[in-house]
Amino acid sequence: GAGVSQSPSNKVTEKGKDVELRCDPISGHTALYWYRQSLGQGLEFLIYFQGNSAPDKSGLPSDRFSAERTGGSVSTLTIQRTQQEDSAVYLCASSLLGTDTQYFGPGTRLTVL
Amino acid sequence: SQQGEEDPQALSIQEGENATMNCSYKTSINNLQWYRQNSGRGLVHLILIRSNEREKHSGRLRVTLDTSKKSSSLLITASRAADTASYFCANSGGSNYKLTFGKGTLLTVNP
């Protein structure tokens, strides 16, 4: 079956612009996660959704970051007023349950100039 | 956030040899997972071992878990050039959901 998909695969933006990153999880997966991978920080957890609610947003680095999930499926990660330090690969993953194997998408490489 | 540590950070071997990577973690866990990443993009799940398991096999992969030492190892037998990638361990701890990743081991298998 289809895996986790993310779009765009690459995004180049100017400092100060807003960006939206999209994640389509595997059909039927109730749990969805966003992670960020950067050279300096490695792989970091950002936010977790169970259905449409986000019980843990503790990994979001600042209030410029927000995410939503609708219909228990697609999720959008929004970064407002992007900064150069936001440059990273943003990875989305989904799983059947919170403790299950997580399946990752190919990621979105964000470059802020 | 707390992160585990993998060692070695980089490993270079010849095709056909075995590769062993180790991982340590700091918190109590529900399970420990190993992932592979090619070219800095998507992570591919390799194997999951639960906290009450000590060893698990999947094809050429063998994973061990020692909860008393808070450590795990991944063994790839009869390595191939296609196994060249970064390997990460990730643990799901008391939070029951989010993964905490180690820093990864870059494995290079030379043909």
Side-chain angles (χ1 to χ4, degrees):
Chain A
V4 178
S5 61
Q6 291 185 247
S7 61
S9 56
N10 287 284
K11 176 71 176 178
V12 180
T13 190
E14 294 179 347
K15 178 181 173 180
K17 301 281 190 182
D18 297 352
V19 295
E20 282 190 354
L21 312 179
R22 177 187 168 106
C23 172
D24 280 277
I26 293 172
S27 177
H29 281 191
T30 57
L32 186 147
Y33 318 78
W34 284 97
Y35 295 87
R36 178 171 74 171
Q37 186 176 28
S38 58
L39 281 175
Q41 300 298 322
L43 275 151
E44 304 173 281
F45 165 82
L46 297 179
I47 188 170
Y48 158 68
F49 285 92
Q50 183 60 255
N52 290 336
S53 65
D56 188 349
K57 306 177 183 179
S58 64
L60 295 178
S62 75
D63 58 9
R64 296 185 295 104
F65 288 71
S66 63
E68 65 175 13
R69 188 179 185 195
T70 55
S73 181
V74 172
S75 175
T76 303
L77 177 69
T78 302
I79 309 173
Q80 296 178 310
R81 304 181 302 282
T82 52
Q83 304 294 311
Q84 288 182 332
E85 60 263 28
D86 299 334
S87 296
V89 176
Y90 289 82
L91 293 161
C92 175
S94 70
S95 71
L96 280 170
L97 297 170
T99 58
D100 214 334
T101 299
Q102 294 185 21
Y103 296 90
F104 282 78
T108 293
R109 184 178 298 278
L110 175 66
T111 303
V112 182
L113 302 176
Chain B
S1 61
Q2 289 185 322
Q3 285 191 330
E5 297 280 341
E6 279 103 331
D7 76 88
Q9 291 187 349
L11 178 62
S12 182
I13 59 175
Q14 296 299 123
E15 236 179 354
E17 293 180 340
N18 296 341
T20 299
M21 290 161 271
N22 302 296
C23 165
S24 62
Y25 55 92
K26 298 179 181 178
T27 62
S28 61
I29 62 171
N30 296 312
N31 62 60
L32 189 137
Q33 303 180 38
W34 284 89
Y35 288 85
R36 182 184 72 214
Q37 184 178 44
N38 293 85
S39 305
R41 296 306 290 264
L43 292 155
V44 175
H45 178 261
L46 296 176
I47 194 165
L48 179 153
I49 185 165
R50 302 203 180 275
S51 59
N52 60 354
E53 297 176 311
R54 291 297 167 258
E55 187 171 313
K56 201 164 184 179
H57 297 255
S58 176
R60 293 184 296 115
L61 305 179
R62 173 179 169 253
V63 170
T64 63
L65 180 64
D66 187 334
T67 53
S68 67
K69 295 181 179 178
K70 290 188 166 60
S71 68
S72 174
S73 68
L74 172 67
L75 168 68
I76 304 174
T77 60
S79 63
R80 305 166 182 168
D83 294 329
T84 294
S86 290
Y87 291 81
F88 294 88
C89 69
N91 66 78
S92 172
S95 61
N96 282 343
Y97 48 86
K98 64 185 176 186
L99 293 176
T100 300
F101 284 87
K103 296 177 182 176
T105 293
L106 176 59
L107 173 66
T108 302
V109 181
N110 301 299

